[in-house]
Amino acid sequence: KEDDFLKDDQNIHTAKEAVNQNDIRRILVPSHRLTPLKNSWDTIVSLLVEKMKLMLRMNVQRRTIEVKNSNETNDNLNLQRADDFLQAYILGFELNDAVSFLRVDDIYLETFDIKDIKNLHGDHLSRAIGRITGEKGKTRHAIENSTKTRIVVADSKISVMGGFTNLKLARNAISSLIMGSPSNKVYNQLRMIAKRKSEI
Protein backbone atom coordinates (compact mmCIF):
# COMPACT_ATOMS: atom_id res chain seq x y z
CA LYS A 1 0.00 0.00 0.00
CA GLU A 2 1.07 3.60 -0.61
CA ASP A 3 0.52 4.43 3.09
CA ASP A 4 2.97 1.68 4.05
CA PHE A 5 5.53 3.20 1.71
CA LEU A 6 5.12 6.58 3.41
CA LYS A 7 5.04 5.29 6.99
CA ASP A 8 7.46 6.36 9.72
CA ASP A 9 10.22 7.66 7.43
CA GLN A 10 11.31 4.08 6.82
CA ASN A 11 12.58 4.88 3.34
CA ILE A 12 15.72 6.69 4.50
CA HIS A 13 18.94 5.80 2.71
CA THR A 14 22.28 7.42 3.42
CA ALA A 15 25.87 7.34 2.25
CA LYS A 16 27.32 8.76 5.50
CA GLU A 17 26.34 12.12 6.97
CA ALA A 18 25.63 15.15 4.82
CA VAL A 19 28.44 17.56 4.00
CA ASN A 20 26.12 20.56 3.80
CA GLN A 21 22.86 20.29 5.71
CA ASN A 22 21.47 23.37 3.96
CA ASP A 23 22.01 22.05 0.44
CA ILE A 24 18.92 19.91 0.01
CA ARG A 25 16.57 19.38 -2.91
CA ARG A 26 12.90 18.54 -2.36
CA ILE A 27 10.70 17.12 -5.10
CA LEU A 28 6.96 17.10 -4.43
CA VAL A 29 5.29 13.80 -5.30
CA PRO A 30 1.67 14.07 -6.50
CA SER A 31 -0.65 11.28 -5.36
CA HIS A 32 -0.92 9.67 -8.80
CA ARG A 33 2.87 9.16 -8.91
CA LEU A 34 3.18 7.45 -5.51
CA THR A 35 2.58 3.92 -6.80
CA PRO A 36 5.10 4.18 -9.68
CA LEU A 37 7.59 5.70 -7.23
CA LYS A 38 7.09 2.85 -4.78
CA ASN A 39 7.60 0.29 -7.55
CA SER A 40 10.83 1.96 -8.71
CA TRP A 41 12.19 2.96 -5.30
CA ASP A 42 14.84 0.23 -5.04
CA THR A 43 16.22 1.17 -8.46
CA ILE A 44 16.22 4.88 -7.58
CA VAL A 45 18.08 4.14 -4.34
CA SER A 46 20.66 2.11 -6.24
CA LEU A 47 21.23 4.91 -8.75
CA LEU A 48 21.39 7.85 -6.35
CA VAL A 49 22.78 6.37 -3.14
CA GLU A 50 25.00 3.52 -4.26
CA LYS A 51 26.31 4.96 -7.53
CA MET A 52 26.12 8.75 -7.06
CA LYS A 53 26.84 8.64 -3.31
CA LEU A 54 23.96 10.95 -2.34
CA MET A 55 21.60 10.83 0.63
CA LEU A 56 17.96 10.11 -0.14
CA ARG A 57 14.72 9.77 1.74
CA MET A 58 10.96 10.00 1.35
CA ASN A 59 9.60 12.71 3.65
CA VAL A 60 6.27 11.45 4.98
CA GLN A 61 4.73 14.70 6.18
CA ARG A 62 5.61 16.77 3.13
CA ARG A 63 5.18 13.94 0.62
CA THR A 64 8.45 14.94 -0.97
CA ILE A 65 11.60 13.15 -2.01
CA GLU A 66 14.61 14.74 -0.32
CA VAL A 67 18.11 14.38 -1.70
CA LYS A 68 21.42 15.93 -0.63
CA ASN A 69 25.17 15.43 -0.74
CA SER A 70 27.04 13.06 1.56
CA ASN A 71 30.69 12.93 2.61
CA GLU A 72 31.22 10.42 -0.19
CA THR A 73 29.75 12.55 -2.98
CA ASN A 74 32.66 13.04 -5.38
CA ASP A 75 31.04 15.37 -7.92
CA ASN A 76 29.33 18.65 -7.02
CA LEU A 77 27.03 18.29 -10.04
CA ASN A 78 25.55 15.00 -8.80
CA LEU A 79 22.94 16.77 -6.69
CA GLN A 80 21.64 18.79 -9.63
CA ARG A 81 21.68 15.69 -11.85
CA ALA A 82 19.66 13.81 -9.24
CA ASP A 83 17.20 16.70 -8.95
CA ASP A 84 16.63 16.75 -12.73
CA PHE A 85 16.32 12.96 -12.82
CA LEU A 86 13.71 12.89 -10.04
CA GLN A 87 11.78 15.84 -11.51
CA ALA A 88 11.59 14.06 -14.86
CA TYR A 89 10.44 10.79 -13.31
CA ILE A 90 7.75 12.49 -11.20
CA LEU A 91 6.49 14.31 -14.31
CA GLY A 92 5.82 10.91 -15.88
CA PHE A 93 8.88 10.04 -17.97
CA GLU A 94 9.93 6.39 -18.03
CA LEU A 95 12.69 5.59 -15.57
CA ASN A 96 15.04 4.51 -18.38
CA ASP A 97 14.54 7.89 -20.08
CA ALA A 98 14.88 9.95 -16.90
CA VAL A 99 18.20 8.22 -16.14
CA SER A 100 19.69 10.22 -19.05
CA PHE A 101 19.97 13.17 -16.64
CA LEU A 102 22.42 11.16 -14.55
CA ARG A 103 24.57 10.11 -17.50
CA VAL A 104 24.50 12.96 -20.04
CA ASP A 105 25.21 16.60 -19.22
CA ASP A 106 23.52 18.29 -22.19
CA ILE A 107 20.01 16.99 -21.53
CA TYR A 108 17.34 19.54 -20.62
CA LEU A 109 13.75 19.45 -19.38
CA GLU A 110 11.03 21.92 -20.30
CA THR A 111 7.45 21.94 -19.05
CA PHE A 112 4.71 24.22 -20.30
CA ASP A 113 0.93 24.38 -20.41
CA ILE A 114 -1.09 24.31 -23.61
CA LYS A 115 -2.72 27.51 -22.38
CA ASP A 116 0.72 29.17 -22.44
CA ILE A 117 0.59 28.79 -26.23
CA LYS A 118 -3.11 29.37 -26.81
CA ASN A 119 -5.88 29.96 -24.28
CA LEU A 120 -8.11 26.96 -24.99
CA HIS A 121 -10.96 25.51 -22.96
CA GLY A 122 -13.40 22.59 -23.09
CA ASP A 123 -13.63 20.77 -26.42
CA HIS A 124 -11.04 23.05 -28.02
CA LEU A 125 -8.51 22.03 -25.36
CA SER A 126 -9.39 18.35 -25.76
CA ARG A 127 -8.92 18.56 -29.53
CA ALA A 128 -5.51 20.23 -29.09
CA ILE A 129 -4.42 17.42 -26.75
CA GLY A 130 -5.70 14.91 -29.32
CA ARG A 131 -3.67 16.56 -32.10
CA ILE A 132 -0.49 16.37 -29.99
CA THR A 133 -0.87 12.72 -29.02
CA GLY A 134 -2.52 11.43 -32.19
CA GLU A 135 -4.25 8.08 -32.55
CA LYS A 136 -2.57 5.58 -30.19
CA GLY A 137 0.20 8.12 -29.57
CA LYS A 138 1.24 8.18 -33.23
CA THR A 139 1.83 11.95 -33.48
CA ARG A 140 3.72 12.15 -30.19
CA HIS A 141 5.96 9.25 -31.25
CA ALA A 142 6.59 10.88 -34.62
CA ILE A 143 7.74 14.10 -32.93
CA GLU A 144 9.90 12.14 -30.48
CA ASN A 145 11.57 10.12 -33.25
CA SER A 146 12.14 13.11 -35.52
CA THR A 147 13.56 15.38 -32.82
CA LYS A 148 15.25 12.71 -30.62
CA THR A 149 13.29 13.87 -27.58
CA ARG A 150 10.87 12.32 -25.09
CA ILE A 151 7.44 13.86 -24.48
CA VAL A 152 4.89 13.43 -21.69
CA VAL A 153 1.35 14.79 -22.06
CA ALA A 154 -0.50 15.05 -18.73
CA ASP A 155 -3.84 16.84 -19.08
CA SER A 156 -2.92 20.28 -20.47
CA LYS A 157 0.71 20.10 -19.28
CA ILE A 158 3.42 19.14 -21.77
CA SER A 159 6.90 18.05 -20.66
CA VAL A 160 9.76 17.58 -23.12
CA MET A 161 13.27 16.30 -22.46
CA GLY A 162 16.20 16.27 -24.86
CA GLY A 163 19.16 18.24 -26.17
CA PHE A 164 18.78 22.03 -26.39
CA THR A 165 18.28 22.25 -30.17
CA ASN A 166 16.06 19.17 -30.32
CA LEU A 167 13.97 20.50 -27.45
CA LYS A 168 13.30 23.67 -29.44
CA LEU A 169 12.29 21.67 -32.53
CA ALA A 170 9.88 19.54 -30.50
CA ARG A 171 8.32 22.56 -28.83
CA ASN A 172 7.84 24.29 -32.21
CA ALA A 173 6.09 21.19 -33.59
CA ILE A 174 3.85 20.93 -30.53
CA SER A 175 3.07 24.66 -30.68
CA SER A 176 2.04 24.32 -34.34
CA LEU A 177 -0.36 21.51 -33.43
CA ILE A 178 -1.82 23.57 -30.57
CA MET A 179 -2.37 26.49 -32.94
CA GLY A 180 -4.35 24.20 -35.23
CA SER A 181 -1.88 23.00 -37.87
CA PRO A 182 -2.85 19.63 -39.39
CA SER A 183 -0.73 16.67 -38.28
CA ASN A 184 0.42 15.85 -41.83
CA LYS A 185 1.79 19.38 -42.28
CA VAL A 186 3.78 19.07 -39.04
CA TYR A 187 5.00 15.59 -40.12
CA ASN A 188 6.30 17.03 -43.39
CA GLN A 189 8.12 19.85 -41.61
CA LEU A 190 9.76 17.36 -39.23
CA ARG A 191 10.79 15.10 -42.11
CA MET A 192 12.41 18.03 -43.90
CA ILE A 193 14.30 19.01 -40.75
CA ALA A 194 15.42 15.41 -40.13
CA LYS A 195 16.59 15.14 -43.76
CA ARG A 196 18.58 18.38 -43.56
CA LYS A 197 20.23 17.27 -40.30
CA SER A 198 21.22 13.93 -41.85
CA GLU A 199 22.86 15.71 -44.81
CA ILE A 200 25.07 17.89 -42.59
Side-chain angles (χ1 to χ4, degrees), residues 117-175:
I117 309 298
K118 188 175 183 180
N119 194 17
L120 300 173
H121 300 279
D123 290 342
H124 296 291
L125 178 60
S126 298
R127 281 194 289 271
I129 294 170
R131 283 196 300 274
I132 295 165
T133 56
E135 186 178 355
K136 297 181 180 179
K138 181 181 175 182
T139 304
R140 177 174 62 83
H141 289 310
I143 297 172
E144 288 180 331
N145 292 336
S146 299
T147 60
K148 294 182 172 60
T149 58
R150 288 290 179 266
I151 300 167
V152 168
V153 181
D155 295 325
S156 64
K157 183 181 287 187
I158 314 294
S159 299
V160 187
M161 62 174 285
F164 182 78
T165 302
N166 292 338
L167 204 75
K168 186 177 179 181
L169 291 173
R171 180 179 174 129
N172 287 344
I174 292 168
S175 297

Side-chain angles (χ1 to χ4, degrees), residues 26-186:
R26 293 185 177 93
I27 297 90
L28 182 65
V29 183
S31 56
H32 71 278
R33 293 299 292 168
L34 283 172
T35 298
L37 178 64
K38 178 183 176 182
N39 294 337
S40 301
W41 188 251
D42 289 345
T43 303
I44 292 171
V45 168
S46 176
L47 289 167
L48 299 187
V49 177
E50 296 173 16
K51 294 185 179 179
M52 304 198 79
K53 306 302 181 184
L54 296 167
M55 298 175 71
L56 177 73
R57 78 166 183 167
M58 183 73 201
N59 187 304
V60 178
Q61 295 177 333
R62 297 185 180 184
R63 285 207 166 189
T64 57
I65 306 170
E66 297 180 351
V67 61
K68 56 185 175 180
N69 287 322
S70 77
N71 286 336
E72 294 182 357
T73 307
N74 55 18
D75 189 335
N76 291 331
L77 292 176
N78 279 0
L79 187 60
Q80 183 59 50
R81 292 183 183 115
D83 190 323
D84 292 338
F85 159 70
L86 290 168
Q87 294 280 5
Y89 184 67
I90 294 304
L91 283 170
F93 289 96
E94 294 291 334
L95 191 66
N96 289 339
D97 292 330
V99 165
S100 299
F101 285 104
L102 303 179
R103 297 173 177 166
V104 183
D105 285 335
D106 59 346
I107 296 289
Y108 303 92
L109 176 65
E110 182 178 3
T111 299
F112 58 94
D113 198 286
I114 288 174
K115 293 176 184 177
D116 295 338
I117 309 298
K118 188 175 183 180
N119 194 17
L120 300 173
H121 300 279
D123 290 342
H124 296 291
L125 178 60
S126 298
R127 281 194 289 271
I129 294 170
R131 283 196 300 274
I132 295 165
T133 56
E135 186 178 355
K136 297 181 180 179
K138 181 181 175 182
T139 304
R140 177 174 62 83
H141 289 310
I143 297 172
E144 288 180 331
N145 292 336
S146 299
T147 60
K148 294 182 172 60
T149 58
R150 288 290 179 266
I151 300 167
V152 168
V153 181
D155 295 325
S156 64
K157 183 181 287 187
I158 314 294
S159 299
V160 187
M161 62 174 285
F164 182 78
T165 302
N166 292 338
L167 204 75
K168 186 177 179 181
L169 291 173
R171 180 179 174 129
N172 287 344
I174 292 168
S175 297
S176 295
L177 292 167
I178 292 170
M179 296 302 292
S181 294
S183 298
N184 59 349
K185 182 179 179 181
V186 175

